[in-house]
Amino acid sequence: MRQFVLALAILCSLTLSLRAAEQITRADQVRGDKTDVEDAGLWIYNDMEKGIAEAKSSGMPMLVVFR
Amino acid sequence: MEQFVRVRMVQANAMDLTRFQFDYDLTFAAFLMNADGTIYGRFGSRSSQDAMENMSMPGFGRALQAALDLHDDYPANRATLAGKQPVTPRYERPEQYPSLAEYGAELEYDGEVVKSCMHCHQINEAERRLYREAKQPVPDKVMFPWPSPRVIGIELDRLEQATVSSVAPGSPADDAGLKAGDVIRTVDDQPIVSIADIQWILHHADDGDHIRIRAQQAAETRDLTVTLPAGWRKNTDISWRVSSWDVRRMGTGGLVLRPLSDEQRAAASVGADSLGLRVDGMGQWPPHNVAKQAGFMKEDIIVAFDGRTDAMTQSQLLAYTMQEITAGETLAVTVLRDGERVDLELPTQ
């Protein structure tokens, strides 16, 4: 019985750790996406007003993607 | 793409709903527009579980080229673009919906960034909840948004801009004379950049409306009129939509349903004209687990739902619960389980 309780405790602990890791990973992915896109410089990130200003000054059309 | 100023939006928080009106259940949507806000076209379509069924990179490339052509002709072509422009929305920002009021305008990058991010599909959910919580039926336009051209019999080639790959026999498009191989140039005088542009027009159309299509095949151009029959919109499949999870929660207690195959119907002695939807799964946690609590089981076959025994798709059943059933009612449901009829009571939300 004691071994079963111990195994259950380890399993719960492992599950909670994995869940925490998943949450950290997802949040990190969101933050990493922002950094990656901004560093690459190919897209204006989440700033519509900046995009409009750039399109007005360049005379180019805009491609606005929701993703 | 380098001929465009490229902006990537990653959140629905503070989205300008007066400008950005699209199918909010999409995982990818694009606007091709002028800096003054004039929309040349939209890209991004979906009509089933397969997210890429209606989209492709070649199709996206053709939409971009079409937008560049419209940009070259702008503003001389302004009048032809008038029908593509946004209509007055209920709210200017998503956070103004009561069910989305908890969200801020910005993502909390230094805090709980995932929790702070409002998803686009939540806008569709918030719109439906307005009706549900007011105990009013959800209108067809809200229940079946952004209908696929398939609903009126048009299959479009996802690799092209707007080329008809097939026309369903006997459909409104067939009656109008549309043919496979036709390139749809304009609909209601609006230049068509992609499938999404046709969906924009259908989204705003009503029963009995006449949709004018200019189709080209080789050197021949034809002007056709598609008449939308009563109830045309109700044939739209909404089961793939993320926002339909919220409908399932409210109307079916979280049930995920699948149609019976011909073989399954025969084995269960369920006729082709009779209701036969198999329980493929159900929500396990509140508030999506009402059906589970009510005793539904996977593989149950629903054969009677609130007294209805006529054949319905999952989408039609979901719509029935949102349009004919008031939140809080309890429904009598009969299922077949191991060949036996079992009566259950299903509370709605």
Side-chain angles (χ1 to χ4, degrees):
Chain A
M1 182 65 184
R2 186 176 290 174
Q3 283 179 328
F4 173 74
V5 172
L6 183 63
L8 191 63
I10 291 171
L11 183 64
C12 287
S13 170
L14 187 62
T15 304
L16 289 172
S17 300
L18 286 172
R19 282 204 164 179
E22 276 175 16
Q23 284 172 357
I24 290 168
T25 301
R26 194 168 169 207
D28 284 349
Q29 280 178 335
V30 174
R31 294 188 186 99
D33 176 67
K34 181 175 188 287
T35 306
D36 291 347
V37 173
E38 287 178 341
D39 288 351
L42 298 173
W43 290 79
I44 295 168
Y45 197 86
N46 234 12
D47 190 342
M48 192 61 198
E49 295 312 311
K50 184 178 177 184
I52 290 171
E54 196 170 306
K56 279 183 177 169
S57 64
S58 67
M60 291 163 70
M62 297 179 71
L63 167 60
V64 182
V65 166
F66 287 84
R67 172 66 179 149
Chain B
M1 268 200 318
E2 62 279 3
Q3 297 178 69
F4 290 83
V5 171
R6 300 172 296 276
V7 181
R8 178 159 166 230
M9 305 298 288
V10 297
Q11 64 187 57
N13 309 55
M15 183 191 293
D16 182 354
L17 298 178
T18 68
R19 189 193 302 267
F20 296 115
Q21 298 173 3
F22 60 101
D23 188 342
Y24 298 120
D25 273 301
L26 292 176
T27 52
F28 178 92
F31 281 78
L32 305 154
M33 56 194 293
N34 189 282
D36 70 5
T38 301
I39 291 169
Y40 297 136
R42 295 167 174 81
F43 181 88
S45 301
R46 186 169 172 182
S47 56
S48 71
Q49 291 291 342
D50 179 0
M52 293 303 290
E53 185 186 19
N54 302 129
M55 291 193 284
S56 71
M57 284 307 291
F60 188 38
R62 291 180 197 282
L64 293 176
Q65 184 56 57
L68 288 173
D69 293 342
L70 290 170
H71 186 67
D72 286 344
D73 293 341
Y74 190 79
N77 57 1
R78 193 193 296 264
T80 68
L81 299 171
K84 295 189 144 189
Q85 306 315 310
V87 298
T88 304
R90 182 191 299 275
Y91 296 119
E92 294 184 354
R93 297 283 186 278
E95 296 84 0
Q96 292 173 296
Y97 279 97
S99 61
L100 299 176
E102 67 191 79
Y103 286 93
E106 304 287 340
L107 297 196
E108 296 172 14
Y109 280 100
D110 295 327
E112 295 198 76
V113 65
V114 174
K115 271 190 178 177
S116 70
C117 184
M118 184 197 304
H119 295 205
C120 294
H121 66 82
Q122 291 179 263
I123 300 169
N124 279 347
E125 294 166 13
E127 181 71 18
R128 287 194 191 114
R129 284 190 195 183
L130 286 178
Y131 294 96
R132 192 69 177 164
E133 287 167 11
K135 298 193 180 299
Q136 295 173 357
V138 179
D140 278 355
K141 280 189 181 177
V142 178
M143 200 70 230
F144 300 101
W146 296 85
S148 162
R150 178 180 297 161
V151 175
I152 55 171
I154 305 173
E155 288 289 344
L156 291 161
D157 186 343
R158 71 188 189 101
L159 300 175
E160 299 291 340
Q161 194 172 318
T163 298
V164 178
S165 54
S166 66
V167 177
S171 66
D174 188 32
D175 292 345
L178 204 67
K179 310 248 180 250
D182 281 342
V183 177
I184 296 177
R185 295 297 184 196
T186 66
V187 179
D188 285 352
D189 299 325
Q190 299 176 33
I192 299 303
V193 161
S194 79
I195 299 172
D197 278 352
I198 300 174
Q199 288 181 274
W200 165 258
I201 293 162
L202 292 175
H203 179 62
H204 293 285
D206 294 309
D207 288 5
D209 278 1
H210 304 293
I211 305 291
R212 289 173 287 109
I213 296 179
R214 175 160 289 180
Q216 184 178 354
Q217 183 136 197
E220 184 192 12
T221 299
R222 292 152 23 242
D223 288 315
L224 311 169
T225 301
V226 177
T227 301
L228 302 176
W232 65 280
R233 190 183 283 267
K234 289 179 185 288
N235 293 323
T236 305
D237 178 13
I238 59 166
S239 65
W240 60 270
R241 293 178 175 276
V242 179
S243 67
S244 287
W245 273 103
D246 200 43
V247 179
R248 288 191 184 94
R249 171 187 66 79
M250 294 184 285
T252 68
L255 290 174
V256 179
L257 304 171
R258 295 281 179 263
L260 293 178
S261 66
D262 291 343
E263 292 76 17
Q264 289 169 327
R265 279 185 177 274
S269 299
V270 177
D273 296 331
S274 299
L275 181 61
L277 290 168
R278 186 171 58 87
V279 176
D280 201 41
M282 65 194 85
Q284 297 296 306
W285 309 103
H288 295 271
N289 67 340
V290 171
K292 181 183 179 187
Q293 300 284 2
F296 283 82
M297 297 180 71
K298 195 172 178 184
E299 306 297 337
D300 281 351
I301 298 171
I302 295 177
V303 293
F305 190 91
D306 190 38
R308 286 190 63 172
T309 57
D310 54 314
M312 282 189 282
T313 64
Q314 178 181 209
S315 294
Q316 289 165 339
L317 185 138
L318 290 173
Y320 173 74
T321 64
M322 292 297 102
Q323 296 184 314
E324 304 290 339
I325 307 297
T326 305
E329 285 185 45
T330 296
L331 309 179
V333 181
T334 303
V335 302
L336 293 180
R337 182 181 298 163
D338 300 327
E340 301 291 326
R341 292 175 73 89
V342 178
D343 295 324
L344 298 167
E345 291 191 338
L346 178 64
T348 59
Q349 299 178 53

